[in-house]
Amino acid sequence: MRADARRNLDKIVEAAAAVMAERGVGVPMEAIARRAGVGVGTLYRRFPDRNALIAAIGEHYVHSLAEALREAAENAPDAWSGLRGFVLWAVNPGRAALATALAELPDETFLDMAEFAVTRRRWLEGLDELVRRAQAEGGMRADVDTEDVVSLMNLFVCHPADLPAHVAAQPVRFLHLMLDGMQASAATRLPGDPAEDAPRV
Amino acid sequence: MRADARRNLDKIVEAAAAVMAERGVGVPMEAIARRAGVGVGTLYRRFPDRNALIAAIGEHYVHSLAEALREAAENAPDAWSGLRGFVLWAVNPGRAALATALAELPDETFLDMAEFAVTRRRWLEGLDELVRRAQAEGGMRADVDTEDVVSLMNLFVCHPADLPAHVAAQPVRFLHLMLDGMQASAATRLPGDPAEDAPRV
DNA sequence: CCTAAGCGGAAGCTCGGATTCCGGTTGGCT
DNA sequence: AGCCAACCGGAATCCGAGCTTCCGCTTAGG
């Protein structure tokens, strides 16, 4: 692989991550190419379709998530503030924002990316562990689960262009509100609790 | 206007509200026509473009919001639970969900709908009043404002199809989380507070 | 200096969705 | 009952955004 080709590849992945974070995963290929400063031809030579591109970005993304999570879990004074800090970091619009798109990608896309799947699973497990710990320590309400946390992240992260203007302007503000709602001290009864909402026979 | 034409008009508005609530404001005109059980031709005869349709729905919508707000404000035991009840009601996916689309409509659209603008303003004022009251009574944290509440509603309401699957499946759950975060008892420091975040000179 | 790898971006294609239009239908008045 | 203007449905047409290909030109690297 020639040196310039290599450089372009990096520029493309970086640009795609940025543009998709800004305008959603469905952004025109040409917009990505333009941002990367290359022609669409170059883009297509490297990535036969959008999914390949998403998968490539996802790989970077998940790695950085895993890294940040590890760091948060280790350095925070307690599990809940670690979790809070991690989510705030991860949703920063500057980071690539692809969790939902990744989740929706057909499995075939990852055929030759075994390592990626492993990292992803490990990340989810790490998050789950941190959540449980935060709950055990009493910082986080017990009726919220890991999947809720992931959804919360996705809510702000996946289609920034479609968010109401005020939310898009300061997503961090709303993130704080949500996180505050996840605190143990905020707990009210949440719907969807199987024990409570089961149909009475 | 012939009686059947009148009936169709109502069916169209109702269908459009439902379909847009489900699939976003950009949903194909044909989908609306199908749901209403009429041909696209009929749709276009009544509403020259999408905006006219949105405005028509918006009128209904705002009226029902205003009504619900009034009721909540009067009947709830305290302002905060009234506000909470109102938001939970308003975000119910069964209701028309158009606030964002309405806000983004060009002003020309409302040229011959003076009454609508009035209702809308009055609704906003009522909401604002309820918020202030909830804060004064100590039920709601003071660093959240009316605009935040509106944005929160929009967040769940505007493009349901684009929400992460888990959120879409039980939006009420996330709504509760957000509302819990708005309770006075949940308050942590929120970013975006001008007094605190002003650049230090 | 040579050549194969690599590049850019115009051209053509696809397809979802908007919009038109007209032959057939029907409400409602006489 | 009979008439006709209002109204309807939906096939046909139009349109443009975005995808994908392809080839003549450029350049890295030996």
Side-chain angles (χ1 to χ4, degrees):
Chain A
M1 192 173 200
R2 244 164 61 174
D4 54 345
R6 173 82 236 167
R7 270 198 306 279
N8 277 333
L9 187 73
D10 292 343
K11 280 195 291 182
I12 287 174
V13 173
E14 192 179 341
V19 176
M20 284 184 174
E22 282 167 21
R23 302 175 44 190
V25 198
V27 73
M29 295 301 234
E30 205 200 317
I32 297 172
R34 202 175 324 125
R35 172 79 71 104
V38 304
V40 273
T42 305
L43 187 51
Y44 275 91
R45 199 169 315 107
R46 296 304 165 206
F47 302 97
D49 57 35
R50 182 184 301 278
N51 285 352
L53 190 49
I54 291 179
I57 300 170
E59 201 159 9
H60 279 208
Y61 179 57
V62 170
H63 272 104
S64 68
L65 279 183
E67 174 62 22
L69 180 66
R70 199 181 48 68
E71 201 171 323
E74 282 174 11
N75 299 336
D78 61 281
W80 169 242
S81 59
L83 183 59
R84 177 182 270 265
F86 167 71
V87 171
L88 285 171
W89 176 90
V91 175
N92 181 315
R95 324 271 170 204
L98 295 162
T100 294
L102 280 172
E104 284 168 1
L105 242 40
D107 291 345
E108 305 90 271
T109 319
F110 302 106
L111 278 188
D112 51 356
M113 302 178 68
E115 192 209 352
F116 169 73
V118 173
T119 310
R120 183 165 180 282
R121 180 187 320 283
R122 204 165 285 162
W123 171 69
L124 275 172
E125 285 167 3
L127 184 63
D128 194 49
E129 192 194 309
L130 190 57
V131 167
R132 288 173 195 284
R133 194 141 62 83
Q135 289 173 332
E137 289 176 8
M140 179 175 175
R141 59 199 287 182
D143 54 357
V144 174
D145 62 19
T146 306
E147 198 179 353
D148 289 326
V149 176
V150 174
S151 293
L152 163 62
M153 291 171 58
N154 289 345
L155 186 58
F156 289 95
V157 127
C158 58
H159 300 278
D162 290 337
L163 291 177
H166 182 230
V167 175
Q170 20 179 341
V172 185
R173 186 176 173 79
F174 287 85
L175 211 46
H176 271 278
L177 278 182
M178 270 267 193
L179 287 169
D180 284 352
M182 287 186 170
Q183 280 180 138
S185 67
T188 62
R189 198 179 149 277
L190 219 50
D193 185 337
E196 307 258 356
D197 288 341
R200 324 226 167 117
V201 185
Chain B
M1 191 172 199
R2 244 165 59 175
D4 55 342
R6 172 82 237 166
R7 270 198 306 279
N8 277 334
L9 188 73
D10 292 344
K11 281 195 292 181
I12 288 174
V13 173
E14 191 180 342
V19 177
M20 284 185 174
E22 282 168 19
R23 302 175 46 190
V25 197
V27 73
M29 296 300 233
E30 204 201 317
I32 296 172
R34 203 175 322 127
R35 173 78 71 103
V38 305
V40 276
T42 305
L43 187 50
Y44 274 91
R45 199 170 316 109
R46 297 303 166 206
F47 301 97
D49 56 34
R50 182 184 302 277
N51 285 354
L53 190 50
I54 292 180
I57 300 170
E59 202 160 8
H60 279 210
Y61 179 56
V62 170
H63 272 105
S64 68
L65 279 184
E67 174 62 22
L69 181 65
R70 199 181 48 67
E71 201 172 323
E74 283 173 10
N75 299 335
D78 61 280
W80 168 241
S81 59
L83 183 60
R84 175 183 272 265
F86 168 71
V87 171
L88 286 171
W89 176 89
V91 174
N92 182 314
R95 321 274 169 203
L98 296 162
T100 294
L102 280 172
E104 284 167 1
L105 243 38
D107 291 345
E108 305 90 89
T109 318
F110 302 106
L111 277 189
D112 51 356
M113 301 178 69
E115 192 209 353
F116 169 73
V118 173
T119 310
R120 184 166 180 281
R121 181 187 319 283
R122 204 165 287 162
W123 170 69
L124 276 172
E125 285 166 2
L127 184 62
D128 194 49
E129 192 194 309
L130 190 57
V131 167
R132 287 173 198 284
R133 193 141 63 82
Q135 289 172 332
E137 290 176 6
M140 180 176 174
R141 57 198 289 182
D143 54 355
V144 173
D145 62 20
T146 305
E147 199 179 353
D148 288 326
V149 176
V150 175
S151 293
L152 164 62
M153 291 170 58
N154 289 345
L155 185 59
F156 290 95
V157 128
C158 60
H159 300 280
D162 290 339
L163 290 177
H166 182 231
V167 176
Q170 20 180 342
V172 186
R173 186 176 174 79
F174 286 84
L175 210 47
H176 271 278
L177 279 182
M178 271 266 194
L179 287 169
D180 284 352
M182 287 185 169
Q183 279 180 140
S185 66
T188 60
R189 199 181 148 280
L190 219 50
D193 184 338
E196 308 258 356
D197 289 342
R200 325 225 168 118
V201 186

